[in-house]
Amino acid sequence: MSTKSLAQRLKAVKPFVAVILLQFGFAGLSIITKFALNQGISQHVLVPYRHAVAAAVIAPFALVLERKTRPKMTYAIFTKIMFLGLLEPVIDQNLFYTGMKSTTATFAAAMSNILPAFVFLLAWIFRLEKVDIKRIHSLAKVLGTIVTVGGAMFMTLFNGPMLSLPWAKPDSHHHSSTTANNQVPIKGSLMIAAGCVGWSSFMILQAITLKSYPAELSLTVFICLAGATQGSLVAVALEWGNPAAWSIGLDAMLLATLYSGIVCSGFTYYVQGIVMKEKGPVFVTAFNPLSMVIVAILSSFILSEMLYLGRVVGAVIIVIGLYMVLWGKSKDKHPAELSNKVLSPADEHLTVMNESDRELADIDSAREKRGDESV
């Protein structure tokens, strides 16, 4: 294998490695955040803390690495950044954390698998995704979206029997059953679903913004600053008269703030932007089921959460629908891909011959006009 072909293979595999790492980061976020919420922290205060940490960590890299390539800030870009800060840091995370507080980490991770369907629908609405119902792959994308949403509804409405996991502690079953009875899965699932709408809108707008502001690190910092500012206003309003909610020490709030800020805001927004520029927003969300599997396993160990058959079946339905969408997406042909196709030697020869024939035809046409003999 030549050095060039090895480099090409590594370049091709990098987006896949990046999005897989993102899913491990999201899985850790679900476990740590659920643990912190169980300790009684305010999910509304966590949002501005998280993005303030992310901005502080990423800002030095943006100042140094993009000092010569950072585009000028315009009113249009500033407006998009403010909307980006509102959609994901404020709307999505407040709704998602509140929904997780009334369900489980596994349930929240599984519900997040509807994200690719929402991304596809929004891309279709904003004409970033082409759909022709007469073609099988386009029909698969539409049906896959319907199946994904149906799976999410199944998870919400049907629990089924509890699954006894071999590694679960025997004395944790009573605690898990009591916790499940105190939860409000329908309310929580609606909040998580609404959060996913905000998250998918964020990804579509991020993809659009990167076209006019191709500086991933700087854009990440601005989004985090906007999210921290707007999130602080929301937290002050919702936690009015509760100053204790803002206290932070060597506790679960500090752990959740540092992890979510560094890994799931700073690192994720940056890597997500890079991959999105090359592969698009649908590809970035394609590996969400991996996060669900990791969370389901870890939460049963760490949080003593029990799995229910209905939720497992619903998760499987979501995965099937998701990969129907991805299969249809993989069959799309983009003009850029066709134009970049490398010609074989035979194709190059035919191209040269065709160009020569056209030149001779042009000469013959000119000669006929002058009454000369053709070539």
Side-chain angles (χ1 to χ4, degrees):
M1 182 184 296
S2 65
T3 305
K4 185 177 180 180
S5 61
L6 177 60
Q8 291 174 342
R9 288 178 180 272
L10 290 175
K11 183 178 179 181
V13 81
K14 279 198 300 185
F16 293 89
V17 174
V19 292
I20 290 173
L21 289 176
L22 289 182
Q23 295 311 313
F24 275 93
F26 287 138
L29 174 68
S30 296
I31 299 296
I32 293 174
T33 303
K34 181 58 178 176
F35 171 77
L37 291 173
N38 288 345
Q39 302 301 310
I41 73 165
S42 169
Q43 66 270 30
H44 309 301
V45 174
L46 176 60
V47 171
Y49 279 171
R50 165 179 173 171
H51 292 90
V53 168
V57 171
I58 301 298
F61 296 96
L63 289 172
V64 174
L65 299 178
E66 294 180 345
R67 63 184 184 279
K68 295 182 180 179
T69 59
R70 188 183 305 110
K72 291 183 179 180
M73 180 63 65
T74 64
Y75 178 77
I77 294 174
F78 176 78
T79 303
K80 291 177 183 177
I81 289 173
M82 295 305 293
F83 272 110
L84 286 168
L86 178 65
L87 286 171
E88 209 280 323
V90 179
I91 295 177
D92 169 44
Q93 290 178 25
N94 274 286
L95 289 172
F96 184 84
Y97 289 156
T98 305
M100 180 188 286
K101 201 168 188 176
S102 61
T103 57
T104 65
T106 304
F107 185 89
M111 279 292 294
S112 296
N113 286 327
I114 64 176
L115 177 66
F118 286 157
V119 171
F120 167 71
L121 284 175
L122 289 174
W124 185 8
I125 292 172
F126 289 98
R127 298 183 179 180
L128 298 175
E129 188 78 25
K130 294 183 179 179
V131 176
D132 184 358
I133 304 299
K134 297 179 181 179
R135 296 183 179 273
I136 295 178
H137 70 274
S138 289
L139 189 61
K141 291 190 289 187
V142 176
L143 292 178
T145 301
I146 297 173
V147 171
T148 300
V149 175
M153 294 177 64
F154 188 92
M155 283 186 62
T156 303
L157 300 176
F158 301 98
N159 280 339
M162 182 185 296
L163 301 178
S164 298
L165 301 176
W167 54 81
K169 298 178 181 179
D171 59 350
S172 66
H173 287 259
H174 176 72
H175 171 72
S176 299
S177 301
T178 304
T179 303
N181 291 332
N182 292 332
Q183 291 167 351
V184 189
I186 295 180
K187 177 184 175 182
S189 61
L190 290 176
M191 286 188 170
I192 294 171
C196 286
V197 174
W199 192 357
S200 56
S201 303
F202 169 84
M203 297 189 73
I204 296 295
L205 184 56
Q206 185 184 18
I208 295 172
T209 305
L210 283 169
K211 294 179 180 179
S212 55
Y213 196 84
E216 294 86 359
L217 286 170
S218 298
L219 183 61
T220 298
V221 173
F222 289 136
I223 291 173
C224 291
L225 287 174
T229 303
Q230 298 175 68
S232 297
L233 297 176
V234 172
V236 168
L238 295 177
E239 296 293 346
W240 188 262
N242 183 23
W246 296 86
S247 63
I248 188 169
L250 296 177
D251 53 12
M253 173 67 90
L254 179 62
L255 175 63
T257 298
L258 293 177
Y259 182 90
S260 61
I262 297 172
V263 177
C264 295
S265 284
F267 177 76
T268 295
Y269 291 166
Y270 171 62
V271 174
Q272 184 175 281
I274 292 177
V275 178
M276 199 180 297
K277 286 174 67 175
E278 181 180 349
K279 295 290 187 177
V282 175
F283 177 85
V284 175
T285 61
F287 294 80
N288 271 35
L290 176 60
S291 174
M292 176 189 65
V293 174
I294 299 170
V295 171
I297 296 173
L298 292 180
S299 63
S300 63
F301 280 106
I302 300 172
L303 302 175
S304 299
E305 290 182 355
M306 289 285 99
L307 284 178
Y308 294 86
L309 180 61
R311 295 182 181 181
V312 173
V313 173
V316 172
I317 295 173
I318 289 174
V319 172
I320 292 172
L322 168 64
Y323 282 100
M324 288 175 66
V325 175
L326 294 177
W327 178 84
K329 180 67 178 174
S330 68
K331 299 300 180 181
D332 287 342
K333 298 295 182 182
H334 301 286
E337 295 176 358
L338 298 175
S339 63
N340 292 333
K341 182 180 178 181
V342 179
L343 295 174
S344 65
D347 293 333
E348 293 177 354
H349 176 70
L350 289 174
T351 301
V352 173
M353 292 296 293
N354 290 335
E355 290 177 354
S356 300
D357 291 341
R358 285 195 295 270
E359 290 177 359
L360 290 175
D362 292 340
I363 295 174
D364 285 342
S365 177
R367 286 175 175 271
E368 287 177 2
K369 291 180 179 179
R370 296 197 303 267
D372 298 338
E373 185 179 353
S374 299
V375 175

